[in-house]
Every structure is written in C-alpha cells, then in structure tokens.
Amino acid sequence: MENEKQIDLDINLLDLKKLCFKVEDTNFLSLVYDEKEYKQIIITRIFPETYKEKYISVQDKDKNEIGIIADVNKLDEKSCELIKNELSRRYFCYEITTIRQIKEKMGYLYFDVILKNGEKSFAVKEASKNVKRVNRAGKILICDIDGNRYEIGEYEKLTAREKKLIIPYLF
C-alpha cells in the first residue's frame, strides 16, 4: 500500500549467553557483557504496566542503553534473582487504601493517607507531573518529593469524598 509507513526498529536484544550480572562492593549492580564491564548499571522496564519481567532495558550509568533483555526468566538463576530484586526495588510502590486529606499549600500538595501497611503523610510538587492516571482501570500513580511512589489501584473504588479530593489533580 502506498500510504503504509515502514517503521525501522533497531532493537538490541542482549545475548543471554554473553552476560553476567553481579553486585559491586558499593551495592550497585554491574554487568559483564561480551567481555566488557559496565559498572553502576540502570535497569528499567520498557513496558512497566504490561510486561513486568519482559523487555527490560539495561543502561550504563550515563543512561546509554546497552541492550534489552527480552525475558528476565530466561536468565541464569543468579542473574534472574538480581534483576528481579533490582526491579522490585526500583518500582516499589506504597499501596494507598484511603485518602484522608489533601491540602494545597505554596505549590505543594500534602497528602494524609492510610496505606496497606500503615499511615503516611507526604508532599507532592508539580501535581501535573506527579499525580497520574496510568491505565483504563483507573490506576493512579503518585510520586512524592523524595521520589517515593504511591499507587491507588482503582479510581472507581474510591469513596465519593476521596474522588472529590483527588480529581482536581488528575491531568
């Protein structure tokens, strides 16, 4: 067809036989790939909501992509455990069960919430960037000023009062 556009994707899938992950003395993750060592690597999910253990980007400390792991579960046992632990740490989210209060003051939002495992108060700057509905089911992600992540599983399960508190900040 004349109107079809061809998309040229250059995806660098890592050869799992040529890589070895390890933890440095500094507790950073490092990678030896094809006999080259990369220290303080960064592991991120390319599709964080849909593929939690597939399509994992491996980057050097300057955020240059080294390559992609197609499926974490196909790594050797030690590397698989290291990558899963790193992903768990990087993507850790507190689960909000109740919004008690949200106050706006001097450009910050101050949340008072009940979590699955306790209570917490935290501040959010730039709500338009840090309070987001991320999927059709109404999942809401919130990032506070310290980089902590919070999740509201389903917007529709919030009470009317809670919806009234958070709706002005959902962009």
Side-chain angles (χ1 to χ4, degrees):
M1 297 175 114
E2 286 182 43
N3 293 339
E4 263 187 42
K5 292 182 182 179
Q6 182 161 350
I7 299 172
D8 184 24
L9 297 175
D10 185 19
I11 299 173
N12 180 23
L13 292 178
L14 295 173
D15 183 344
L16 304 184
K17 295 176 188 140
K18 294 181 180 180
L19 59 75
C20 177
F21 292 96
K22 61 183 180 182
V23 178
E24 301 173 25
D25 294 337
T26 57
N27 282 331
F28 285 103
L29 205 55
S30 67
L31 166 69
V32 176
Y33 183 68
D34 206 15
E35 299 183 22
K36 184 174 179 184
E37 185 170 16
Y38 300 89
K39 293 186 174 283
Q40 298 181 12
I41 61 167
I42 301 164
I43 305 292
T44 59
R45 292 177 174 136
I46 296 173
F47 303 104
E49 288 297 311
T50 52
Y51 297 106
K52 296 189 185 280
E53 295 182 354
K54 292 185 177 188
Y55 310 110
I56 306 301
S57 174
V58 181
Q59 303 164 15
D60 66 19
K61 63 183 175 184
D62 298 320
K63 297 188 178 181
N64 299 307
E65 190 167 77
I66 300 163
I68 295 170
I69 300 169
D71 186 345
V72 169
N73 295 303
K74 294 194 177 176
L75 292 167
D76 65 83
E77 190 177 329
K78 182 183 175 192
S79 293
C80 180
E81 182 181 346
L82 288 172
I83 297 303
K84 284 182 177 182
N85 287 342
E86 180 67 15
L87 289 169
S88 178
R89 185 193 63 76
R90 175 177 276 282
Y91 291 95
F92 175 78
C93 254
Y94 291 99
E95 188 178 330
I96 296 173
T97 58
T98 305
I99 302 171
R100 289 198 284 210
Q101 189 173 42
I102 302 174
K103 285 186 179 178
E104 193 170 348
K105 186 176 178 183
M106 310 261 313
Y108 289 85
L109 296 180
Y110 293 90
F111 283 76
D112 181 18
V113 299
I114 297 175
L115 304 172
K116 190 174 183 180
N117 299 318
E119 301 175 2
K120 184 124 179 171
S121 295
F122 59 90
V124 173
K125 187 174 184 177
E126 298 181 78
S128 64
K129 292 181 183 177
N130 293 306
V131 180
K132 295 277 185 190
R133 193 181 301 204
V134 295
N135 64 22
R136 290 184 184 149
K139 180 177 180 178
I140 298 168
L141 282 179
I142 303 166
C143 295
D144 73 11
I145 59 174
D146 295 320
N148 297 308
R149 297 172 193 221
Y150 303 85
E151 173 184 308
I152 298 169
E154 293 181 50
Y155 173 79
E156 291 305 320
K157 288 187 177 178
L158 293 174
T159 65
R161 187 186 77 66
E162 291 172 314
K163 287 177 183 176
K164 188 176 178 181
L165 287 171
I166 198 148
I167 198 135
Y169 309 109
L170 294 176
F171 297 95

